[in-house]
Structure formats: structure tokens, C-alpha cells
Amino acid sequence: MNLPTGNPKLDTYLAEGYTSVRGMSSAFAASISGHMIRRQSEMGIKGHIAEIGTFEGRFFIALAHGLADGEHAIGIDIFTWPSEKVLDNLHENLARHGIARERYTAIKGSTADMGIADLIAPVKGRPDLDPLLPIRFFHIDGQHDEVNLTKDLALALPLMHPQGLIVLDDMLHPSYPGLVETVHKWLRAHPDWVCLAILDREDIVAAAKYVLVRAEAVALYEQDLLTTFAANVFPMGSDVEGHFTVVLTPHPRLAEVD
Ligand SMILES: C[S@@+](CC[C@H](N)C(=O)[O-])C[C@H]1O[C@@H](n2cnc3c(N)ncnc32)[C@H](O)[C@@H]1O
């Protein structure tokens, strides 16, 4: 299910291109993410966009359609699974769906071997980019285990805009039941961060995403999500580590009891 994002280029990609790009994230989550990225620009939140686990670019292209001037998209992946053709396919998909080569950098390698400097290397020394900008939207969708997710969060955290969003993929996926434990542990260790929203699954291969934000920035996003996506709000919401969390789902409903 795709929803209007307020960004015409992204709406076209979601309607006509998204499912033609091999990948796993849902159009539902891409719509809501694209909406939040557009609003960040409108609120004056400037920064680059990053994704760990870029694969062939399905979600990355959606994010990159929200780039403003001076901003760059950084995609990191080992780019060897399921074959060495993945990186070529990524470049082809980006070109086909309107993301110019100078707007993004693909970094090939495992985040397990990377430091923060490796992630921001693409924006250094480029006269068209602002090297001082933080990252305003970081999608983490790499190796789904405690060690790697903890490492990926550690890479992202120091780079984040104070009002930026970290979005975690494959939360509550039946294949990775322990992954949320890692997130809860991380949230307890970082009490200035909360889970703003859960974007519900569409399918077994398009599982839920958690949207994390600093507590002081919740108000920038929360009411807007509840209002804009009112038709998709699960009325009971959720509670993640003591914080009210918005739940957005393609078909909100309660179980029928009579
Ligand atoms: C589920 S796929 C990503 C799907 C993509 N984000 C989408 O929405 O279509 C996970 C990706 O993470 C990559 N990956 C796994 N471990 C990694 C690591 N340690 N560092 C970087 N990328 C990794 C894999 O190569 C794979 O392409």
C-alpha cells in the first residue's frame, strides 16, 4: 500500500517504480518515511540521508527523492549478496528512477569493519555538498543480529541531526525475534531517545520498522503522523520503554470479539 507523500517525484516512484526494484521494504513504510523527510525539509531540518543495507536501492531511491540542495544520500552494503551484480543493479535502478549519480555514494563493505569517518568520507571535499551537515534520516537494514545492529546504531548516533530520525527495519520479524531486545536495551542505555512510531508490516518479507527520535524532537513529528495518517492509526497505539508510540498499519482494526 502506498500513500501520498507530498513529494510528486516520490509519489510517481512509489506508484510506478517501487515494486520493479528488487527489495524487501514496504511501500507503506516508504510512503511514511518520504512524508517525514519532506516535512523535515519544510521545518528547516537539513542533513544527509544514509542507509545501511542498500541492496538494489528499493528504499534508498525513495529516500533520495527527498534530498534537498547540498544534501547527499549514502548507501552502505557489502553488495555481494546474492551476487556481485547487486552494485551494478543499484546504479542502474537509481539512474532509471531519476537519482543522478552525483546525488549519492554507494560504499561497498561491511559496517562491522567501518568507523564513522568511513561513512562521511563521501561528503568530504565536495564543493557542492555541505560537509558540516549531520545525517537527518538514517535507515538501518543491514545484518540482523545484536552485535551488528548495536554497531550500526553506534555508527549512526554521533552523526545524527538533533531532530533526526533513525529507522530500524525488520523489527518484530518472525526470523529475528531477538532483534527488538537489542533495541530495547539500546533505548534504556540512551534515555534521550524514544520510539516515536512503529510502521507495521505489510508481509512476511516487508516487516515492521521502528522510528527512533530524540525525546525533545517528538513533538515535531508525533501529531503530524497522527493527523496525516489518521486512516492508518491503530487506535491502541503502543508503549515502547514507557513512551507512547504511534502505530501506523495498512489496515487498522481490533480483533472482533462477538
Ligand atoms: C534485507 S536487505 C536490504 C533491503 C533494502 N534495504 C530494501 O529495502 O529493499 C539487507 C542488506 O544488508 C546487507 N548487509 C548485511 N550485512 C551487512 C553488513 N555487515 N554491512 C553492510 N551491509 C550488510 C546485505 O548485503 C543486504 O543487501
Side-chain angles (χ1 to χ4, degrees):
M1 169 189 276
N2 51 313
L3 300 168
T5 68
N7 175 345
K9 284 185 298 181
L10 174 55
D11 288 343
T12 301
Y13 169 61
L14 290 172
E16 298 171 10
Y18 192 80
T19 53
S20 72
V21 178
R22 279 206 301 179
M24 294 81 176
S25 292
S26 72
F28 180 72
S31 304
I32 294 162
S33 299
H35 166 88
M36 292 191 293
I37 287 171
R38 177 186 55 75
R39 277 200 75 249
Q40 285 182 326
S41 293
E42 289 170 4
M43 292 189 291
I45 298 171
K46 281 193 72 64
H48 305 299
I49 289 172
E51 181 181 54
I52 295 172
T54 303
F55 191 51
E56 297 192 350
R58 173 185 277 200
F59 202 72
F60 189 66
I61 294 166
L63 304 181
H65 272 304
L67 288 171
D69 289 347
E71 297 176 341
H72 199 61
I74 301 163
I76 305 131
D77 202 300
I78 52 176
F79 292 122
T80 55
W81 176 85
S83 82
E84 294 285 345
K85 282 167 61 181
V86 171
L87 186 53
D88 290 339
N89 292 344
L90 172 73
H91 291 307
E92 278 169 28
N93 288 332
L94 281 150
R96 181 150 32 92
H97 295 291
I99 308 299
R101 190 66 191 80
E102 66 273 14
R103 303 299 325 255
Y104 74 93
T105 299
I107 303 177
K108 183 174 166 71
S110 169
T111 52
D113 305 324
M114 290 182 194
I116 290 160
D118 298 310
L119 267 63
I120 53 168
V123 297
K124 290 251 157 105
R126 285 263 306 253
D128 56 326
L129 302 177
D130 185 342
L132 298 178
L133 285 183
I135 289 177
R136 62 168 163 132
F137 192 101
F138 205 129
H139 183 223
I140 297 181
D141 190 9
Q143 185 67 29
H144 294 338
D145 60 39
E146 170 149 18
V147 170
N148 284 281
L149 179 54
T150 304
K151 171 70 191 284
D152 291 350
L153 282 162
L155 287 172
L157 184 61
L159 297 172
M160 293 307 297
H161 187 292
Q163 296 162 340
L165 299 168
I166 300 177
V167 175
L168 307 176
D169 189 53
D170 279 337
M171 297 292 106
L172 312 167
H173 190 298
S175 289
Y176 315 106
L179 214 51
V180 286
E181 198 182 338
T182 304
V183 179
H184 282 252
K185 210 186 284 181
W186 189 88
L187 285 168
R188 285 195 291 276
H190 299 85
D192 50 330
W193 283 79
V194 296
C195 185
L196 166 73
I198 296 174
L199 314 181
D200 194 20
R201 71 167 51 248
E202 273 204 78
D203 189 64
I204 189 83
V205 293
K209 293 190 196 290
Y210 277 17
V211 182
L212 310 185
V213 71
R214 285 195 174 85
E216 63 194 20
V218 165
L220 294 176
Y221 299 99
E222 186 183 81
Q223 189 54 51
D224 171 71
L225 287 177
L226 289 167
T227 305
T228 308
F229 299 107
N232 298 98
V233 172
F234 179 60
M236 288 177 69
S238 182
D239 180 314
V240 178
E241 293 294 326
H243 177 78
F244 167 75
T245 297
V246 175
V247 176
L248 299 175
T249 184
H251 305 291
R253 63 200 184 283
L254 294 167
E256 289 180 18
V257 289
D258 56 19

